[in-house]
Amino acid sequence: MTGLEHQPRLPVILSVDDDPAVSRAVARDLRRHYGGRYRIVRAESGPDALETVNELKLRGDTVAVFVADYRMPGMSGIEFLEEAMDIYPLARRVLLTAYADTHAAIDAINVVDLDHYLLKPWDPPEEKLYPVLDGLLESWRAQGDRAIPMTKVIGHRWNPRSWEVRQFLARNQHSFRSYMADEAKGKQLLDAAGLDGLQLPVVITEGGETLVQPTNTELADMLGLSTSPSLEMYDLAVIGGGPAGLAAAVYGASEGLKTVLIESTTTGGQAGRSSRIENYLGFPTGVSGAELTTAARRQAERFGAEVITTRKAEKLDIHGPARTIELDDGTSLGARAVILATGVDYRQLQVSGCWDDPNSPHNYIGRGVYYGASVADSSECAGEDVYIVGGANSAGQAAMFMAREAKSVTLLVRGPSLAASMSYYLIQQIESQHNIHVRTCTEVVEAIGQDDHLTGLVLQNRQTGERETVTASRMCCFIGATPRTDWLDGVVARDDHGFILTGPDLKDVVGWTLDRPPHHLETSVPGVFVAGDVRADSAKRVAAAVGEGSMAVMLVHRYLAES
């Protein structure tokens, strides 16, 4: 056997088109750009392609991307992808369509979880083919068919920190496998590490290092993320790493400002927890919140912005033109201008056991009660009856995501319908999903627990007052927003709910010291701006937050020019 035979085989990009000329053209363009890193395989019918896929699986090859033509006799591209994804579920899926067939591509999004559709012809490939596949291949390498070793997380279902660690890794798009400490594989891993399972969670890195009850900072170090600023003074400091903050970092750094972004946990904010955002401009097949915000973070870093994670801003001092930000580790940094994009937290349900009440004997948060999506992977709720409280888009997206594996998902909505708070496209998807049920005019009035975790809920009809007890071990709440602004008390003007006032809303607020009026996104402190959900009367949409983040940078330039 030669040395070449010992080398690992290249991952495969497989294309299938029944037109021989088109099939050769696709393969030619793929080889020209990807031939050195991937093995290009083509087929001219769905059945032939499936036979090839099975042969690849038997030989132990991996498939990174399927590119299938929609119109093929005998087996359409959608039918091929539906069968191929059972064999290679992590491969990315692309459908080739003519302009008249774009409706089929939209349908395929729900049928085969399509990643992208390409219109024929795709010339020039440098503009219409390669950028699409580059993004899909990067996503596949980060999350797809990765070779072992892989990061392993050993935890317990009712251990809140285990859930937080899985969320941290998932939101940073770090591939990992999760094991329960009370199951055979989890026990085996703990035994191998010389641990008894009393100190959970445990993270075993790809390199074999064991982290016991790791902090977010230790996890960030494992992922190679920055946790400390490198400079003492910046042109622009952005506080908060959601869509608004990431947009501000991208535009600030790309326009030559020395920019630092400070995020207390992981970049992405509430949007980063969204399983799928389908109404964001430029993503016809939708995009997960983690994918969108991770790409934005990389973009900001490519332009030279420093992105600091697991560091919380605790104080903002104003001394003349200087703005000083004190962090939770005792360090501080200065900036000529500041953009506040701290976002919001989900409001806690005021039911015993469901909020941080020091007088309550029970706390089920992280033990069956979750704020935001409760799973990093839909398989975590396989076979469960899941309850989701809330009627906005975030609740609907979570319902669709968890319905893939859950036995049932029940949306509990206080109002008479979803129409007032949820996008129409999402309502349609929910109505077509057989295992999602919507209960309107319903609220949770009691949480029932056993052994310190959630086991049931008492529901009440708000119209009739009738109560019902249901069995539940997982409830996710999306019930409004609380701004993260307590640390700014007495520094910037806020409304009665804690949201930050800006621009024209400051007209009757005492404290503005300059002759000029405040800029549109400027707070009561000159040179301190705000963007995104934390601003009073904001739109609470990803696109709006991104727009405000970029607009705030334009106003920062104007302020710095005036100073």
Side-chain angles (χ1 to χ4, degrees):
M1 186 175 289
T2 67
L4 183 63
E5 291 172 299
H6 284 289
Q7 295 178 3
R9 289 186 290 270
L10 296 175
V12 170
I13 298 176
L14 187 147
S15 69
V16 52
D17 195 301
D18 67 302
D19 185 326
V22 174
S23 179
R24 287 193 296 269
V26 173
R28 180 197 63 226
D29 286 342
L30 292 175
R31 285 194 185 96
R32 190 189 336 160
H33 194 69
Y34 302 106
R37 294 166 290 156
Y38 296 86
R39 180 180 164 206
I40 311 303
V41 176
R42 70 182 181 93
E44 293 182 2
S45 74
D48 285 348
L50 276 180
E51 185 177 341
T52 300
V53 168
N54 281 301
E55 290 176 359
L56 291 170
K57 189 69 174 180
L58 287 173
R59 290 204 302 261
D61 288 313
T62 59
V63 176
V65 177
F66 292 116
V67 181
D69 182 51
Y70 168 60
R71 287 186 178 272
M72 293 189 294
M75 176 180 283
S76 72
I78 295 176
E79 290 170 333
F80 162 73
L81 290 174
E82 196 169 7
E83 294 206 31
M85 68 188 287
D86 290 336
I87 303 169
Y88 285 103
L90 300 177
R92 299 314 190 239
R93 296 173 280 277
V94 178
L95 196 67
L96 278 175
T97 66
Y99 182 77
D101 295 326
T102 53
H103 68 282
I106 301 301
D107 292 340
I109 294 169
N110 294 325
V111 176
V112 295
D113 199 15
L114 192 70
D115 291 295
H116 210 282
Y117 66 88
L118 288 171
L119 293 177
K120 296 189 290 188
W122 57 88
D123 292 325
E126 289 77 11
E127 295 179 12
K128 297 183 178 180
L129 176 64
Y130 301 150
V132 170
L133 291 185
D134 285 346
L136 294 178
L137 288 168
E138 180 180 356
S139 164
W140 178 82
R141 288 193 301 269
Q143 205 172 14
D145 252 342
R146 293 180 52 144
I148 297 175
M150 178 182 284
T151 297
K152 303 171 185 66
V153 179
I154 304 101
H156 191 279
R157 184 180 183 186
W158 308 125
N159 178 269
R161 182 57 186 162
S162 299
W163 169 67
E164 291 170 356
V165 167
R166 293 196 302 271
Q167 289 287 317
F168 187 98
L169 297 178
R171 290 178 62 186
N172 279 289
Q173 290 206 286
H174 182 76
S175 191
F176 67 94
R177 289 182 181 171
S178 180
Y179 303 91
M180 294 296 106
D182 55 356
E183 296 176 353
K185 184 62 176 179
K187 290 179 180 178
Q188 182 182 8
L189 289 168
L190 290 173
D191 289 342
L195 299 171
D196 56 13
L198 297 178
Q199 296 174 294
L200 297 176
V202 172
V203 175
I204 301 175
T205 70
E206 292 181 6
E209 181 184 0
T210 300
L211 306 177
V212 179
Q213 296 179 323
T215 64
N216 283 350
T217 301
E218 289 173 324
L219 294 174
D221 289 339
M222 180 189 80
L223 300 182
L225 302 176
S226 298
T227 57
S228 299
S230 64
L231 303 176
E232 294 182 357
M233 188 70 186
Y234 295 84
D235 295 321
L236 172 63
V238 181
I239 315 298
L246 288 166
V250 167
Y251 281 92
S254 68
E255 294 174 10
L257 297 177
K258 290 182 179 177
T259 302
V260 62
L261 183 149
I262 300 164
E263 167 56 43
S264 59
T265 52
T266 60
T267 53
Q270 282 190 324
R273 304 180 194 179
S274 178
S275 56
R276 200 158 194 88
I277 302 169
E278 297 193 63
N279 59 351
Y280 188 69
L281 184 68
F283 291 89
T285 61
V287 61
S288 78
E291 288 175 322
L292 179 66
T293 54
T294 299
R297 187 196 75 216
R298 291 172 180 163
Q299 189 176 17
E301 291 173 331
R302 183 168 65 84
F303 281 122
E306 281 189 43
V307 179
I308 309 302
T309 59
T310 69
R311 286 288 175 260
K312 185 178 181 181
E314 291 195 330
K315 187 176 182 183
L316 176 62
D317 283 328
I318 310 297
H319 299 291
R323 283 87 183 89
T324 302
I325 300 154
E326 295 185 11
L327 305 180
D328 56 353
D329 65 345
T331 61
S332 62
L333 58 92
R336 297 169 63 201
V338 174
I339 295 177
L340 300 171
T342 49
V344 296
D345 286 318
Y346 287 112
R347 186 178 299 126
Q348 292 192 348
L349 191 65
Q350 299 300 294
V351 172
S352 180
C354 299
W355 65 296
D356 294 319
D357 179 5
N359 298 317
S360 174
H362 303 291
N363 186 343
Y364 305 134
I365 298 176
R367 299 179 175 91
V369 174
Y370 304 93
Y371 290 93
S374 68
V375 296
D377 188 283
S378 60
S379 63
E380 292 182 33
C381 58
E384 294 183 2
D385 294 309
V386 178
Y387 287 81
I388 295 179
V389 182
N393 278 10
S394 53
Q397 289 159 353
M400 289 297 297
F401 180 64
M402 286 189 275
R404 297 176 184 177
E405 300 284 349
K407 179 182 178 183
S408 70
V409 176
T410 302
L411 275 166
L412 305 176
V413 186
R414 286 171 55 88
S417 75
L418 293 171
S421 54
M422 188 178 292
S423 296
Y424 178 65
Y425 80 91
L426 201 48
I427 294 174
Q428 286 185 306
Q429 289 184 9
I430 287 171
E431 289 176 347
S432 67
Q433 191 72 30
H434 69 91
N435 62 337
I436 297 181
H437 314 288
V438 180
R439 295 184 57 164
T440 56
C441 301
T442 303
E443 60 186 352
V444 177
V445 294
E446 185 180 346
I448 302 170
Q450 182 177 347
D451 298 329
D452 213 26
H453 66 267
L454 184 72
T455 58
L457 302 169
V458 178
L459 310 180
Q460 179 171 291
N461 186 297
R462 301 183 70 226
Q463 294 178 322
T464 66
E466 183 181 353
R467 292 192 173 192
E468 176 189 359
T469 300
V470 297
T471 300
S473 59
R474 189 184 301 268
M475 177 180 70
C476 309
C477 301
F478 303 82
I479 54 171
T482 301
R484 298 189 183 109
T485 59
D486 288 348
W487 67 288
L488 295 167
D489 185 30
V491 179
V492 298
R494 301 180 294 163
D495 68 10
D496 293 340
H497 302 287
F499 291 92
I500 300 174
L501 299 170
T502 62
D505 294 336
L506 292 168
K507 184 174 66 172
D508 299 324
V509 175
V510 177
W512 185 255
T513 58
L514 301 185
D515 294 333
R516 66 167 176 83
H519 295 304
H520 181 64
L521 297 177
E522 197 168 20
T523 70
S524 57
V525 177
V528 177
F529 298 82
V530 66
D533 291 358
V534 75
R535 182 179 67 83
D537 297 322
S538 64
K540 306 296 188 293
R541 286 290 186 268
V542 175
V546 169
E548 288 189 6
S550 57
M551 182 180 178
V553 172
M554 179 190 75
L555 299 176
V556 165
H557 279 293
R558 191 176 299 175
Y559 165 77
L560 293 177
E562 296 166 348
S563 301

